[in-house]
Amino acid sequence: ATGPPTEDEKRQYSDYDDNATYMSHHTQGSNSSGVYSQGGRFVPSPNNSATGGRDGEGSGRSVVPSGGASVVSTGSGPRFAPSVAGSVSSSRALDASLQDSVRQKTVAKRKRREYAKDPRYAPVKRAVDELNKAIGPEKRRSAIERACTEFDHQDEPRHGAELYLGAANVLCLVLSMSDQEEEIRSVCSALEMVYRAEREAVIVSYQDVGAALVPLLLRLLERCEKGRKVISAEATIANISKILLHMTRISELRVPLVGHPGMLAALERVAALPLSMENRVLRMRLLANLANSEGNKVTIFEQASLMEATMKVATLDKAENAREYASAVLMDLSSCPANQVSMARMDKVLATLVKLAVVEDKVETREYAVSGLQNLAFEKQNRMQLVSYGSGVVVEALKKCTSSDSNDKTRRRSAGALTNLACDETAEKMANHSGLFETLAQASVADKNTDVQQRATLALTKLANSITVKMSCWDTLLDALIKASQCTVGDGIVSAMFRVKTRSEENRTSMANHPRLLETLAQLCLRTKDVENTKAVYKNCENATKAIAHLANDPLNHKLICNKHILTALVHGASLAGPTGVVTRDAAILAMERMAMEHSNRPMMARHPGMLVSIAQATERELKEELNGIPTSSVTGQPRLAKPLLMSLLVAM
């Protein structure tokens, strides 16, 4: 029990990665009908690789929701390696997809018949019929105007009826034949209106007309942006962007949309063209939605010019919403394990994330940037790169966010990023970063959010696990641990670190002589006086008592640790009742016995209030065990030490 820390004890700290990768909290939809993607923690697979998959996003499966039910794009947990039965599963998934497609088409036909017969939607049917029958320019212009009047509302079910009755199909046909600028603008406006519909209707419409409509919209978008003489070009660009944005609200459509030629090229032009603020925000919002799909993350990241455009917007765009969505894009891309190593090696990516995390005024932008850094820090290969980049600017940014950001989530994730960065290779470099230990210790005690406290404590103890007495930062570490010992939500990991460190012989003299360390151990032991039946408090007491016992194993410490604080703590530990106090009682008696080996300590120990009583009680317990035939003391296997200890102290009196 007094040897150096075991490998398991070391591993319990080194494996405490803040095992999460983060993606956008929500789809950047344009109205309330979007299916919002919940920000998810993703449990790592057994090899500690980061995961970030979402069921139904980017998996390349049918765009038809299973069984016609709503698909919620929440975190689906860890991804597993392909099994031998993978081909069978794929075949079954394909069959199920085909069945779903057939079922969805059947449902769509039934809804079309119902809407066609429903008198409430007679005006919609008339508007669609007029568009379909309008041949001459004047009739077509009149039909488009009436359609815009009919479709301009915020009633999602009614927009759904418009799509089922073929509004998007006929508008696409009209758009393909239009060469008048005003007519193009009006048709795009009408299309934007009808695509405000509920998700199932948008999916069915995309299946019907998406293959023709999306390429047409992309060509028109390029035409407008290249300076053709189009009336109200910015309005047309905005409407086209909104149509595509409505489609990207549906998670199943994001991968097919990226697959359209010209889609990524249209997105990257946002940084090169003098678009209006509204259109720049819309374009980045569209990219943020597409990047929020697992199946698109590698594709988007590998488009170097699009990455450059995203970072340019993130750092230079005057619209704070555009910068926010650019930050969300970088966060989502960094949540993909296939991107993480390459992104961490790109200085421009790191510089952009650091700037957004520290300088931005908007809370969400800072949160996304810090989450991006945390995602990159989860990959073990990246940790030294991140810690070393720019003479420690990543660590400095995370330190600043942990200590002073106003947003709880940003502070929590910055502390989590520091937890991820801490490992044997980076520990000394991080520990020597000015003020980092102090920041983590202060956050572990004083932050108003318990999650931040826990993560700061975890980051500190994970770093401490790799710090040795020979390093220049040793004393700073002990100061930080002393401060963090006041944390009430750390589940005993600070006191456990004291215990682990005192098990190494080379640490004991330094720790016993460090200012306030012995008093801190005594305080941890005595907390059970104020709080009853709290597991963490009793664990702190046990760890601190064991740490004192380890320090007492060094003869050089015997006189030093024999003070009133330690003696009071040991008396308290030796007097604990019940099964929860067994280990602590034995550790306290062991520490007393070691201290009593120094003869000059015995008179002070014997006269300390409660000392003889607690040892006498221990002697009585040991006698009962002996009479009951129990070969060694209690459950710890410790030899019976109380009786000879009591005799030596009585003699000293």
Side-chain angles (χ1 to χ4, degrees):
T2 60
T6 65
E7 290 302 314
D8 286 341
E9 285 178 312
K10 291 181 179 179
R11 197 176 301 115
Q12 71 174 322
Y13 294 97
S14 63
D15 286 348
Y16 277 163
D17 293 344
D18 190 44
N19 48 9
T21 53
Y22 291 91
M23 296 193 293
S24 302
H25 285 289
H26 54 79
T27 299
Q28 315 297 341
S30 55
N31 59 38
S32 60
S33 65
V35 178
Y36 289 93
S37 306
Q38 305 298 322
R41 286 179 61 103
F42 297 97
V43 182
S45 54
N47 62 358
N48 278 337
S49 61
T51 59
R54 294 188 185 185
D55 187 23
E57 290 190 358
S59 59
R61 59 184 192 179
S62 169
V63 296
V64 182
S66 176
S70 174
V71 179
V72 182
S73 54
T74 53
S76 58
R79 297 183 302 174
F80 300 96
S83 64
V84 178
S87 60
V88 177
S89 299
S90 298
S91 177
R92 289 175 179 171
L94 181 59
D95 290 342
S97 179
L98 291 173
Q99 291 173 5
D100 290 342
S101 181
V102 172
R103 187 182 303 115
Q104 186 69 31
K105 288 179 180 178
T106 303
V107 171
K109 288 180 180 178
R110 176 175 54 79
K111 286 191 174 183
R112 287 189 185 104
R113 289 195 298 269
E114 291 176 356
Y115 288 133
K117 295 177 181 179
D118 193 329
R120 292 176 299 173
Y121 302 113
V124 175
K125 191 171 184 302
R126 281 197 301 272
V128 173
D129 289 342
E130 286 182 14
L131 283 169
N132 205 21
K133 294 174 182 178
I135 298 176
E138 291 300 325
K139 288 185 177 180
R140 192 163 60 238
R141 188 179 302 111
S142 176
I144 293 170
E145 288 178 1
R146 280 194 290 272
C148 287
T149 302
E150 176 61 34
F151 299 156
D152 190 10
H153 56 82
Q154 298 297 331
D155 187 344
E156 279 188 18
R158 192 172 186 85
H159 283 308
E162 293 160 5
L163 289 181
Y164 279 116
L165 290 172
N169 303 58
V170 70
L171 286 169
C172 177
L173 181 61
V174 172
L175 186 62
S176 67
M177 298 186 297
S178 298
D179 56 4
Q180 297 296 316
E181 291 84 354
E182 183 63 28
E183 189 172 296
I184 290 172
R185 184 195 64 78
S186 297
V187 173
C188 289
S189 178
L191 277 167
E192 186 277 322
M193 295 171 189
V194 298
Y195 273 106
R196 298 171 189 170
E198 55 202 7
R199 66 186 311 278
E200 287 80 5
V202 175
I203 290 174
V204 171
S205 177
Y206 182 86
Q207 290 178 314
D208 286 346
V209 75
L213 178 59
V214 174
L216 177 59
L217 293 174
L218 293 174
R219 289 196 299 272
L220 282 172
L221 192 62
E222 185 176 13
R223 173 185 167 186
C224 292
E225 292 172 351
K226 284 190 174 180
R228 300 283 184 88
K229 291 185 178 180
V230 179
I231 297 174
S232 304
E234 288 287 351
T236 303
I237 291 171
N239 283 325
I240 293 174
S241 297
K242 289 176 182 178
I243 296 165
L244 296 173
L245 190 63
H246 289 316
M247 293 179 181
T248 62
R249 290 186 288 115
I250 315 302
S251 59
E252 295 90 342
L253 301 186
R254 293 172 193 162
V255 172
L257 283 167
V258 166
H260 283 284
M263 176 64 78
L264 297 183
L267 293 170
E268 70 185 49
R269 291 198 297 269
V270 66
L273 297 173
L275 299 174
S276 67
M277 182 180 294
E278 178 193 6
N279 279 320
R280 296 199 310 276
V281 172
L282 282 171
R283 196 71 56 91
M284 291 310 301
R285 197 173 183 181
L286 176 59
L287 177 56
N289 278 3
L290 294 174
N292 192 237
S293 173
E294 277 299 311
N296 289 335
K297 291 178 182 179
V298 173
T299 304
I300 292 173
F301 174 67
E302 290 179 347
Q303 192 83 4
S305 53
L306 182 53
M307 284 294 295
E308 286 289 335
T310 301
M311 289 184 284
K312 183 177 179 181
V313 171
T315 53
L316 299 177
D317 201 289
K318 294 182 179 179
E320 69 172 7
N321 286 340
R323 299 195 301 273
E324 175 195 349
Y325 294 128
S327 184
V329 170
L330 294 175
M331 176 183 68
D332 280 333
L333 296 181
S334 69
S335 72
C336 176
N339 294 341
Q340 288 171 347
V341 173
S342 298
M343 288 187 73
R345 291 176 180 170
M346 296 172 64
D347 288 354
K348 191 173 287 188
V349 169
L350 298 183
T352 301
L353 290 174
V354 167
K355 178 181 181 295
L356 293 172
V358 175
V359 176
E360 280 295 320
D361 292 329
K362 193 164 187 180
V363 167
E364 291 81 4
T365 308
R366 298 197 307 272
E367 179 189 334
Y368 294 153
V370 170
S371 299
L373 290 172
Q374 182 179 4
N375 289 343
L376 295 179
F378 187 80
E379 172 55 56
K380 292 183 178 180
Q381 294 182 56
N382 293 343
R383 293 173 184 176
M384 184 54 78
Q385 167 73 16
L386 292 172
V387 170
S388 304
Y389 171 72
S391 301
V393 296
V394 171
V395 177
E396 181 64 25
L398 295 173
K399 184 191 82 173
K400 181 177 179 181
C401 291
T402 301
S403 63
S404 59
D405 197 281
S406 60
N407 180 252
D408 289 350
K409 290 181 180 178
T410 303
R411 296 197 311 280
R412 174 165 57 86
R413 291 181 178 177
S414 59
L418 291 169
T419 303
N420 284 356
L421 288 174
C423 61
D424 288 339
E425 292 76 18
T426 63
E428 186 172 9
K429 198 171 188 68
M430 292 180 68
N432 287 320
H433 189 94
S434 177
L436 180 61
F437 275 154
E438 292 85 346
T439 294
L440 291 174
Q442 181 66 21
S444 70
V445 174
D447 198 280
K448 62 183 180 181
N449 184 278
T450 56
D451 286 338
V452 177
Q453 288 183 289
Q454 289 173 338
R455 292 194 185 198
T457 305
L458 187 57
L460 177 60
T461 52
K462 197 177 172 196
L463 283 170
N465 188 58
S466 303
I467 302 300
T468 68
V469 69
K470 297 177 182 179
M471 296 179 182
S472 60
C473 54
W474 173 254
D475 287 337
T476 307
L477 169 65
L478 294 182
D479 287 336
L481 289 175
I482 289 170
K483 176 74 172 177
S485 67
Q486 302 171 38
C487 175
T488 57
V489 296
D491 294 329
I493 61 174
V494 175
S495 60
M497 184 51 61
F498 280 125
R499 176 175 57 82
V500 169
K501 290 300 183 184
T502 55
R503 290 188 66 173
S504 296
E505 292 182 14
E506 62 179 358
N507 298 340
R508 290 171 183 166
T509 301
S510 169
M511 294 183 72
N513 283 277
H514 192 85
R516 296 186 296 114
L517 191 144
L518 294 178
E519 290 83 349
T520 297
L521 293 176
Q523 289 169 5
L524 289 171
C525 293
L526 294 171
R527 281 183 187 171
T528 53
K529 284 186 174 182
D530 303 320
V531 182
E532 296 182 358
N533 301 323
T534 301
K535 185 178 179 180
V537 171
Y538 276 96
K539 194 63 181 176
N540 278 332
C541 182
E542 178 184 317
N543 287 331
T545 306
K546 282 188 172 183
I548 294 170
H550 292 324
L551 293 176
N553 278 326
D554 189 335
L556 296 177
N557 292 337
H558 287 169
K559 289 187 69 65
L560 184 63
I561 65 177
C562 187
N563 62 51
K564 62 179 182 179
H565 302 292
I566 295 297
L567 293 179
T568 301
L570 293 178
V571 168
H572 174 69
S575 304
L576 289 179
T580 56
V582 171
V583 176
T584 304
R585 289 197 301 265
D586 284 355
I589 294 298
L590 177 63
M592 293 176 185
E593 191 270 341
R594 294 289 186 266
M595 292 165 62
M597 293 174 67
E598 172 63 47
H599 288 257
S600 60
N601 287 343
R602 293 177 183 177
M604 180 180 180
M605 293 176 65
R607 290 175 174 80
H608 190 81
M611 176 69 70
L612 293 179
V613 174
S614 65
I615 299 174
Q617 291 172 342
T619 302
E620 185 178 358
R621 286 195 301 270
E622 291 179 359
L623 180 60
K624 288 181 179 179
E625 290 175 350
E626 188 175 358
L627 292 175
N628 291 331
I630 300 174
T632 55
S633 177
S634 81
V635 297
T636 63
Q638 180 173 294
R640 295 187 174 94
L641 304 173
K643 184 175 180 180
L645 173 60
L646 179 61
M647 296 301 297
S648 65
L649 295 185
L650 289 172
V651 169
M653 292 185 69

